[in-house]
């Protein structure tokens, strides 16, 4: 495909709770200011709303096929793999992951140029430039607290941890932090069931 100076941003479809996106509206604005056309697939559940991308200068469209670079986070559906395009995502193929070999085969068959986030490394240190970072860890901690509450409930024991929502439900990190404090206050007041204690949380 002839380069079109255009970037297409996919909506994520890995699961029904998926709210992530590869490029934020603030970064889209920077691209548009450099005369790069940005197209964004519409998505009502994404953490950033369509109107935020429109205000940043992007076009909302279901057809990204005339963007020469397609950007995503996770799995890309087969019907969004267009011949002779470039794609960037967490492809999960570099280690020969069997479940993604059909995706790699289709990329090869369609002459797709695939950029895998896992393979983008600092030229000097050889360290990955795109990897799980601080916010992934915070999200995991929130999910862990929620999971602990559900685990204990399955054993007929209700605890304050049940009041922790899944990470994707919070509008901001400060909202999640506020809820963690509230749960801490509940534990201080009511305690936790002795038969399951002590609870030890380790942070690395």
């Amino acid at each position: 495909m002839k380069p079109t100076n255009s970037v297409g941003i996919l909506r994520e479809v890995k699961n029904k709770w998926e709210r992530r996106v590869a490029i934020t509206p603030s970064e889209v604005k920077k691209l548009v200011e450099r005369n790069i056309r940005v197209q964004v697939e519409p998505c009502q559940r994404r953490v950033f709303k369509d109107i935020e991308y429109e205000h940043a200068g992007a076009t909302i469209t279901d057809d990204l096929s005339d963007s020469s670079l397609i950007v995503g986070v996770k799995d890309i559906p087969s019907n969004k793999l267009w011949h002779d395009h470039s794609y960037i995502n967490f492809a999960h193929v570099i280690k020969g992951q069997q479940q993604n070999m059909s995706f790699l085969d289709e990329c090869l068959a369609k002459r797709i140029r695939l950029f895998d986030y896992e393979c983008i490394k600092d030229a000097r240190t050889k360290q990955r430039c795109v990897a799980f970072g601080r916010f992934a860890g915070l999200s995991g901690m929130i999910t862990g607290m929620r999971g602990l509450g559900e685990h204990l409930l399955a054993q007929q024991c209700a605890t304050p941890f049940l009041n922790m929502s899944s990470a994707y439900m919070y509008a901001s990190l400060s909202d999640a932090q506020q809820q963690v404090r509230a749960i801490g206050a509940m534990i201080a007041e009511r305690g936790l069931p002795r038969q399951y204690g002590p609870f030890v949380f380790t942070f690395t």
Side-chain angles (χ1 to χ4, degrees), residues 23-37:
I23 304 179
T24 65
S26 61
E27 296 303 315
V28 165
K29 188 174 186 293
K30 294 176 184 179
L31 293 174
V32 171
E33 289 172 349
R34 296 181 183 182
N35 297 316
I36 296 174
R37 186 165 59 99

Side-chain angles (χ1 to χ4, degrees), residues 80-92:
K80 299 294 174 67
L81 294 175
W82 294 292
H83 284 80
D84 298 308
H85 281 61
S86 296
Y87 288 79
I88 181 167
N89 75 320
F90 281 111
H92 297 302

Side-chain angles (χ1 to χ4, degrees), residues 151-195:
H151 171 72
L152 293 172
L153 183 63
Q155 300 182 50
Q156 309 302 311
C157 180
T159 66
F161 295 115
L162 280 175
N163 295 280
M164 198 77 206
S165 298
S166 297
Y168 72 90
M169 295 178 177
Y170 292 103
S172 67
L173 177 59
S174 61
D175 287 347
Q177 290 172 322
Q178 183 177 347
Q179 187 60 21
V180 170
R181 294 188 189 99
I183 289 171
M186 291 180 208
I187 293 173
E189 179 183 352
R190 308 171 193 171
L192 291 170
R194 292 183 179 276
Q195 66 268 35

Side-chain angles (χ1 to χ4, degrees), residues 1-4 64-69 82-86 111:
M1 177 183 181
K2 184 178 180 181
T4 60
L64 305 180
S65 61
D66 64 344
S67 291
S68 52
L69 174 63
W82 294 292
H83 284 80
D84 298 308
H85 281 61
S86 296
R111 304 201 320 168

